[in-house]
């Protein structure tokens, strides 16, 4: 656990904190332990929040759950809304929804993907990418971007606004809406709403393509820096459609090893616990998911846009699929393994989401009137979707009086627990080790965390602050010497 | 106030979902010019401020501080005490800070049961040793301390003095923008601030008053579970036997949920003068129950009919106190002394 046990004089180490990690969604802090020569001995990412959803939704009627669990997260409430609705579809025996119901839910979900990805890229991350990781702190925010790059900032705001409008029209509210219910939806799109959204959708597609190309240009301008930044290898997990296509709403689980080999494919998510376990540690409130076949030490994996774009066989919309192929081929595939490749993949997914929105708006079913189905009542429901940040698992048991008796939630950011720390550790080795700590260098650590778009609100639905260990220590000796070699010069290369 | 005449703004989250920040960003293009109106002093969701920046400010340095989220652990409490000291005006922003919101239904259970549900009693848990996270863990470099997870979810005003409250889960963006404009005008043009303690960014009547659904005299013989009934579109949901919190909930949202076929959830909190939203809703329910009573009926029979009608309400505590548990007269379920005393939070100098 703690490699400090082998550190020579742990009491002499100096503690440097990044508190809170900013421009992420939720509470987090990073602690670095440094010695007198600024050698990094340890890095920890802590998430500082407690809430306890698994327990307090017990005793509530199952139809309340899709609305209640949205309070896990105000950034992607639709994701929890839909994952819970899918689980409750099973309770209601309604696994095959009407076309109008499934298409309206998909529309809501793509609106969510669009607004969340736009929020993350433009509002939270673009300042780092456009100004440089060590740029002036007061300028490093969306207001600063608006002053320097007004068109980019405005497009970001309007892309997000469009996604929010899609959500409002399908869910009733932009945040914490009520559109999806067990067995279907409450509301289909009206013709007027459909026409309003259609009027702007081609502009949204054009801006989304621009956003993909913007990330590509940023890679081209700083190829070595971007490819190397916080790079690490990881196993990958995501849903894919039966034909191998990217499908963010439904599919089977596919896991690949860090060498690209399939570990399992099209696995029925209703039995997810046959493949995924979670470890518990006394010093952390955050659980550690792992692939059962590989065990708790070696089985950690990565989820989210980068994984999905790489893990699927193709994207079933033309513009996004073309961008996917470009991305995978770029620099002989190196960008697709880079931590900052998350941004590129995220923008490809935003383009895919807008293309899907366009297709759904052109489908008469979206205005259908058959909204609800039901079937044979069951006692257990599992709903899994690909949320903006990755695979999201909701699992409930419901008693004969319709009350929830058990709940298990494995959220996207929790899957990335170990992966985020791996990235942070790499950045600490690459850029901080042996250097005098500056604000700009510390921001490099935050840039690595932001790449994952962690939703710390979601991740802390269970309980709290997680002093998550990223052993970054001098224990083995060889690693330390690797550190000092790596450290020189790279700071300048990145900024 | 800064020399440039702009008030200093802070926005911070305690135990929250982030939806209040997102709703604030939904003021749209205004967010790009927020620096024309305010100087940001602390807003970690969108800008790189750290706690040490706040620690360095003199007391009362921040003109307007919006705090969302409930008080769930000792760190939440430490942060809001710090921000209270550094701020002239402190606003409880959104349902969690105002009244606990949905996560305050946690007050119906215990801390211990919550830990067990998350770490021991789940199909994907691999925990043969029964390990539970501990508040303190000894490691070679010292003690790893994590915030104390309180037994009870508290609202902001149960911990620090609050100047204003903006209700809603989340507050609607047009309401947020309107409040910001009023406060900015008062701070920069010498206008008068609203009186301390008031609710801002909300209406003054019940949600029913702003709901477009058609209403008639209400007489409900029983309540339905959603799968038992297909409600008539355009007609008051409560009249049709679907629980809608509209009669006990403050207006201001525009009655959004009933328009998509979902009864009001109650997120804007109680009406003025009604301290307890759940109690108010119970009163409303009692007044619409139609048990076909006539003068001279047998009292016992009537009582049985009322009981039978009331029994069709599933999970009354979770329904009527869905958002307001922490701030209600109930506050939390009895624990008969099982829950220990709460340690004092650290005070930052």
């Amino acid at each position: 656990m703690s490699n400090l046990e082998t550190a020579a004089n742990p009491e002499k180490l100096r503690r440097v904190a990044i508190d809170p990690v900013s421009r992420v969604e939720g509470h987090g802090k990073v602690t670095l332990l440094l010695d007198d020569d600024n050698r990094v001995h340890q890095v920890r990412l802590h998430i500082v929040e407690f809430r306890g959803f698994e327990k307090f939704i017990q005793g509530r009627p199952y139809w309340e759950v899709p609305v209640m669990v949205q309070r896990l997260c105000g950034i992607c409430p639709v994701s929890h809304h839909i994952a819970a609705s899918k689980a409750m579809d099973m309770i209601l025996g309604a696994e095959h929804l009407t076309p109008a119901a499934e298409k309206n839910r998909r529309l809501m979900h793509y609106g969510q993907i669009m607004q969340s990805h736009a929020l993350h890229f433009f509002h939270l991350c673009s300042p780092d990418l456009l100004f440089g990781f060590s740029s002036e702190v007061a300028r490093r925010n969306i207001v600063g971007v608006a002053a320097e790059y007004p068109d980019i900032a405005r497009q970001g705001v309007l892309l997000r606004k469009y996604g929010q409008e899609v959500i409002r029209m399908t869910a009733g509210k932009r945040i914490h809406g009520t559109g999806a219910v067990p067995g279907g939806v409450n509301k289909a799109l009206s013709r007027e709403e459909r026409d309003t959204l259609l009027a702007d959708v081609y502009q949204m597609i054009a801006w989304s393509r621009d956003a993909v190309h913007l990330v590509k240009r940023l890679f081209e301008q700083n190829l070595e820096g971007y490819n190397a930044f916080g790079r690490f290898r990881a196993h990958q997990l995501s849903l894919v459609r039966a034909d191998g296509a990217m499908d963010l709403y439904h599919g089977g689980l596919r896991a690949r090893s860090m060498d690209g080999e399939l570990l399992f494919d099209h696995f029925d998510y209703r039995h997810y616990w046959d493949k995924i376990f979670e470890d518990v540690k006394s010093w952390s409130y955050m659980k550690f998911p792992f692939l059962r076949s590989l065990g708790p030490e070696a089985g950690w994996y990565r989820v989210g846009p980068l994984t999905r774009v790489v893990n699927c066989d193709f994207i079933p919309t033309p513009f996004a699929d073309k961008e996917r192929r470009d991305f995978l081929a770029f620099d002989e595939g190196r960008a697709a393994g880079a931590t900052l490749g998350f941004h590129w993949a995220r923008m490809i997914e935003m383009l895919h989401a807008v293309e899907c929105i366009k297709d759904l708006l052109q489908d008469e079913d979206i205005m259908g009137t058959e909204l609800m189905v039901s079937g044979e009542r069951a006692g257990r429901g599992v709903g899994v979707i690909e949320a903006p940040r990755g695979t999201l698992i909701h699992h409930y048991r419901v008693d004969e009086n319709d009350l929830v008796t058990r709940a298990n939630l494995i959220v996207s950011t929790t899957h990335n627990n170990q992966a985020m720390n791996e990235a942070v550790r790499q950045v600490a080795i690459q850029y901080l080790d042996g250097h005098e700590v500056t604000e700009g260098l510390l921001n490099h650590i935050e840039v690595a965390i932001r790449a994952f778009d962690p939703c710390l609100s979601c991740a802390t639905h269970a309980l709290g602050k997680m002093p998550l260990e990223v052993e970054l220590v001098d224990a083995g000796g060889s690693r330390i010497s690797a550190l000092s070699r790596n450290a020189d010069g790279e700071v300048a290369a990145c900024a | 106030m800064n020399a440039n005449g702009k008030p200093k703004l802070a926005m911070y989250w305690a135990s929250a979902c982030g939806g209040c920040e997102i709703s604030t960003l939904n003021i749209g293009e205004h967010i790009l010019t927020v620096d024309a109106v305010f100087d940001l002093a602390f807003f970690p969701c969108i800008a790189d401020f750290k706690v040490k920046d706040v620690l360095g400010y003199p007391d009362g340095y921040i003109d307007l501080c919006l705090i969302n989220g409930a008080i769930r652990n000792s760190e939440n409490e430490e942060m809001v005490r710090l921000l209270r000291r550094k701020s002239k005006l402190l606003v409880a922003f959104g349902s969690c800070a105002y009244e606990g919101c949905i996560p305050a239904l946690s007050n119906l259970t215990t801390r211990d049961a919550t830990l067990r549900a998350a770490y021991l009693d789940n199909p994907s848990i691999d925990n043969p040793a029964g390990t539970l996270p501990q508040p303190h863990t000894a490691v070679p470099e010292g003690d790893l301390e994590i915030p104390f997870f309180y037994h009870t979810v508290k609202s902001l005003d149960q911990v620090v003095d609050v100047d204003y409250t903006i209700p809603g889960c989340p507050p609607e963006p047009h309401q947020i923008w309107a409040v910001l404009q009023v406060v900015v005008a008062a701070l920069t043009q010498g206008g008068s601030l609203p009186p301390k303690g008031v609710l801002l960014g909300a209406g003054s009547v019940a949600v029913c008053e702003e709901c477009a659904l058609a209403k008639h005299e209400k007489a409900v013989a029983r309540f339905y579970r959603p799968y038992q009934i297909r409600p008539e579109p355009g007609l008051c949901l409560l009249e049709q036997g679907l629980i809608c919190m509209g009669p006990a909930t403050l207006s201001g949202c525009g009655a959004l949920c009933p328009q998509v076929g979902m009864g009001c959830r109650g997120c804007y909190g109680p009406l003025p003068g009604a301290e307890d939203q759940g109690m108010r809703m119970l009163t409303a329910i009692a007044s619409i129950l139609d048990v076909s009573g006539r003068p001279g009926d047998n009292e016992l029979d009537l009582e049985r009919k009322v009981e039978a009608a009331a029994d069709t309400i599933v999970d009354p505590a979770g329904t009527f106190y869905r958002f307001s548990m922490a701030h209600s007269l109930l506050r939390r379920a009895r624990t008969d002394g099982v829950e220990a005393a709460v340690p004092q939070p650290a005070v930052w100098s």
Side-chain angles (χ1 to χ4, degrees):
Chain A
M1 174 173 60
S2 172
N3 296 2
L4 276 181
E5 287 167 34
T6 53
N9 295 301
E11 68 281 0
K12 286 189 176 166
L13 297 177
R14 187 158 54 90
R15 201 180 281 262
V16 176
I18 306 174
D19 178 20
V21 177
S22 49
R23 287 184 284 129
V24 298
E25 295 108 355
H27 296 251
K29 67 175 87 167
V30 171
T31 315
L32 296 149
L33 287 180
L34 307 173
D35 65 16
D36 288 345
D37 300 323
N38 290 309
R39 284 280 165 74
V40 178
H41 285 250
Q42 192 176 58
V43 187
R44 281 203 184 94
L45 169 63
H46 316 254
I47 310 293
V48 209
E49 221 180 315
F50 298 76
R51 291 190 294 155
F53 275 75
E54 278 104 337
K55 181 61 188 172
F56 72 73
I57 56 179
Q58 294 181 20
R60 313 276 86 80
Y62 73 82
W63 55 83
E64 292 285 340
V65 171
V67 176
M68 293 180 64
V69 294
Q70 293 184 94
R71 273 70 186 184
L72 284 159
C73 178
I75 295 100
C76 58
V78 168
S79 310
H80 295 290
H81 189 51
I82 288 179
S85 295
K86 283 179 74 176
M88 296 315 177
D89 292 344
M90 268 179 80
I91 298 291
L92 199 59
E95 285 197 73
H96 296 286
L97 302 184
T98 67
E102 183 177 328
K103 285 172 186 176
N104 275 283
R105 278 201 198 168
R106 281 181 177 271
L107 182 61
M108 194 193 303
H109 187 45
Y110 293 126
Q112 170 71 79
I113 296 278
M114 187 183 168
Q115 85 84 16
S116 177
H117 281 2
L119 168 79
H120 178 260
F121 181 72
F122 292 99
H123 294 66
L124 305 183
C125 289
S126 71
D128 296 321
L129 305 176
L130 294 169
F131 297 142
F133 304 169
S134 301
S135 57
E136 183 200 345
V137 59
R139 192 169 68 139
R140 247 176 14 222
N141 53 58
I142 184 67
V143 179
V145 173
E148 196 97 355
Y149 302 96
D151 288 344
I152 291 176
R154 189 170 151 272
Q155 285 170 20
V157 166
L158 293 179
L159 279 161
R160 199 178 149 257
K161 190 174 180 181
Y162 185 89
Q164 288 285 50
E165 281 303 290
V166 171
I167 295 171
R168 186 181 66 78
M169 289 182 191
T170 48
K173 280 169 81 181
R174 293 178 186 86
I175 301 165
H176 302 329
T178 55
V181 290
V185 294
N186 266 331
K187 171 187 181 297
L189 219 57
S190 70
R191 191 162 295 275
E192 190 189 358
E193 289 167 334
R194 195 276 299 262
D195 293 345
T196 305
L197 291 176
L198 257 185
D200 289 330
V201 77
Y202 290 98
Q203 179 65 72
M204 297 302 142
I205 290 176
W207 284 344
S208 298
R209 294 179 74 190
D210 290 347
V212 178
H213 299 149
L214 171 62
V215 185
K216 183 179 182 182
R217 277 202 309 282
L218 290 164
F219 262 85
E220 284 165 349
Q221 285 164 13
N222 193 350
L223 201 53
E224 285 313 305
Y226 269 47
N227 276 338
F229 184 83
R231 194 182 186 89
F232 66 98
R233 281 152 48 86
H235 309 312
Q236 322 227 35
L237 176 80
S238 68
L239 287 180
V240 291
R241 204 166 73 180
D243 60 358
M246 172 182 280
D247 188 343
L248 303 174
Y249 178 81
H250 193 67
L253 289 167
R254 171 183 282 182
R256 258 184 224 283
S257 75
M258 57 178 71
D259 299 317
E261 158 202 3
L262 277 177
L263 296 170
F264 52 84
D265 202 4
H266 303 300
F267 184 78
D268 183 348
Y269 66 61
R270 291 174 298 181
H271 303 281
Y272 68 91
W273 59 87
D274 286 341
K275 296 295 181 193
I276 299 167
F277 259 9
E278 295 173 284
D279 195 10
V280 179
K281 297 184 192 286
S282 70
W283 45 270
S284 170
Y285 278 110
M286 180 115 154
K287 291 179 269 193
F288 291 79
F290 61 91
L291 300 172
R292 277 180 77 169
S293 59
L294 300 179
E297 295 304 319
W300 63 272
Y301 53 91
R302 189 182 67 193
V303 300
L306 181 56
T307 288
R308 291 189 293 238
V309 167
V310 172
N311 208 18
C312 70
D313 299 330
F314 65 100
I315 298 180
T317 54
F319 287 139
D321 194 53
K322 180 187 176 301
E323 297 300 345
R324 173 181 179 271
R325 284 181 272 117
D326 280 2
F327 174 57
L328 295 183
F330 185 80
D331 195 28
E332 295 171 353
R334 276 188 282 273
T339 291
L340 292 174
F342 257 108
H343 295 296
W344 194 336
R346 196 170 285 117
M347 290 301 95
I348 293 172
E349 284 194 344
M350 182 169 77
L351 175 58
H352 169 59
V354 188
E355 288 185 281
C356 289
I357 289 170
K358 184 207 74 177
D359 291 345
L360 287 165
L361 292 173
Q362 290 172 339
D363 186 334
E364 291 291 309
D365 283 344
I366 206 76
M367 297 167 294
T369 52
E370 289 301 315
L371 303 181
M372 295 282 293
V373 289
S374 59
E376 195 180 335
R377 179 73 155 67
R380 181 171 70 80
V382 181
V384 178
I385 62 164
E386 285 294 332
R389 292 154 188 80
T391 314
L392 171 63
I393 300 172
H394 279 224
H395 178 186
Y396 305 97
R397 276 191 174 277
V398 176
D399 70 12
E400 64 284 353
N401 190 33
D402 292 343
L403 301 180
V404 174
T405 56
R406 295 277 188 83
N408 190 25
L409 309 166
I410 309 180
V411 303
S412 318
T413 296
T414 305
H415 295 291
N416 277 337
N417 187 341
Q418 189 64 34
M420 277 194 291
N421 282 274
E422 203 60 34
V424 164
R425 191 172 76 89
Q426 291 302 331
V427 168
I429 291 169
Q430 286 172 302
Y431 299 101
L432 272 83
D433 195 68
H435 290 269
E436 188 166 345
V437 174
T438 62
E439 192 282 332
L441 282 181
L442 290 178
N443 188 50
H444 282 59
I445 295 226
E446 297 184 76
V447 169
I449 296 170
R450 284 180 204 124
F452 290 81
D453 187 11
C455 183
L456 308 180
S457 311
C458 284
T460 56
H461 64 278
L463 286 173
K465 175 167 174 173
M466 50 166 201
L468 185 66
E469 290 266 324
V470 187
E471 20 44 282
L472 195 232
V473 191
D474 64 346
S478 61
R479 177 166 281 168
I480 285 293
S481 61
L483 299 191
S484 46
R485 271 203 311 276
N486 280 350
D488 265 356
E490 298 206 32
V491 177
C494 188
Chain B
M1 196 84 59
N2 267 2
N4 60 18
K6 288 193 280 185
K8 288 190 273 314
L9 175 73
M11 186 164 189
Y12 184 72
W13 35 31
S15 181
C17 74
C20 286
E21 270 78 9
I22 299 304
S23 202
T24 304
L25 295 182
N26 282 354
I27 62 177
E29 293 94 318
H30 296 311
I31 199 70
L32 298 180
T33 53
V34 70
D35 67 332
V37 183
F38 290 107
D39 276 339
L40 295 183
F42 188 55
F43 200 153
C45 175
I46 64 163
D48 292 341
F49 292 100
K50 307 300 174 193
V51 173
K52 69 174 165 42
D53 297 321
V54 180
L55 286 167
Y57 297 153
D59 288 359
Y61 175 83
I62 298 163
D63 291 294
L64 177 65
C65 179
L66 311 174
I67 292 186
N68 64 81
I71 309 306
R72 195 54 176 113
N73 64 35
S74 54
E75 193 196 69
N76 298 150
E77 180 159 354
E78 287 158 25
M79 276 303 292
V80 303
R81 285 186 187 281
L82 175 69
L83 285 166
R84 171 67 276 186
R85 199 149 50 75
K86 303 293 183 182
S87 306
K88 290 195 188 74
L89 294 174
L90 189 85
V91 177
F93 188 102
S95 176
C96 288
Y98 173 29
E99 52 180 358
C101 193
I102 285 176
L105 291 176
S106 203
N107 288 358
L108 292 172
T109 180
T110 64
R111 180 177 187 273
D112 181 56
T114 302
L115 287 163
R116 297 185 67 83
Y119 299 107
L120 299 177
D121 193 15
N122 252 330
S124 53
I125 287 290
D126 178 36
N127 189 6
T131 303
L132 286 176
Q134 303 299 325
H136 293 274
T137 303
V139 293
E141 81 266 28
D143 179 41
L144 274 188
E145 193 184 358
I146 52 182
F148 185 82
F149 179 58
Y150 287 170
H151 300 293
T152 299
V153 178
K154 290 186 270 191
S155 61
L156 185 61
D157 73 344
Q158 289 165 354
V159 174
V160 293
D161 189 40
V162 166
D163 293 298
Y164 303 120
T165 297
I166 303 179
C169 181
E172 283 294 311
H174 70 279
Q175 299 279 22
I176 298 170
W177 185 236
V179 170
L180 290 180
Q181 285 179 309
V182 166
V183 174
V184 168
L187 291 176
T188 58
Q189 292 155 29
S192 59
L193 283 163
K196 183 173 168 165
V198 298
L199 286 175
L200 298 176
S204 56
V205 293
V207 166
C208 300
E209 306 284 322
E210 59 177 2
C211 178
L213 298 182
K215 295 172 228 22
H216 309 85
E217 186 157 348
K218 293 179 181 49
V220 179
R222 60 157 298 172
F223 293 95
Y224 295 95
R225 301 179 183 208
Y227 59 84
Q228 293 172 326
I229 180 178
R230 231 16 86 105
E232 189 77 25
L235 191 63
C236 169
L237 295 163
L238 194 55
E239 277 175 31
Q240 303 186 64
L242 288 168
I243 299 274
C244 173
M245 290 288 287
T249 303
L250 186 62
S251 61
C253 62
L256 296 172
C257 295
Q259 310 318 309
V260 293
M262 180 67 77
C264 168
R265 308 283 84 197
C267 77
Y268 265 64
L271 294 162
E275 190 182 346
D276 192 292
Q277 190 181 16
M279 204 100 87
R280 175 68 179 237
M281 190 62 199
L282 279 170
T283 313
I285 294 276
S287 72
I288 63 166
L289 275 185
D290 172 19
V291 290
S292 308
R294 300 282 180 276
D297 281 357
N298 181 316
E299 287 283 325
L300 199 61
D301 281 351
L302 279 180
E303 208 171 291
R304 285 203 188 104
K305 280 186 177 175
V306 170
E307 266 178 29
D311 278 348
T312 59
I313 299 173
V314 189
D315 184 28
T319 302
F320 300 140
Y321 293 92
R322 190 182 284 125
F323 287 86
S324 63
M325 180 59 73
H327 210 260
S328 70
L329 296 173
L330 302 178
R331 295 272 169 103
R332 67 158 301 119
R334 282 181 56 187
T335 58
D336 294 327
V338 171
E339 303 289 6
V342 174
Q344 286 298 305
V347 176
W348 281 341
S349 52

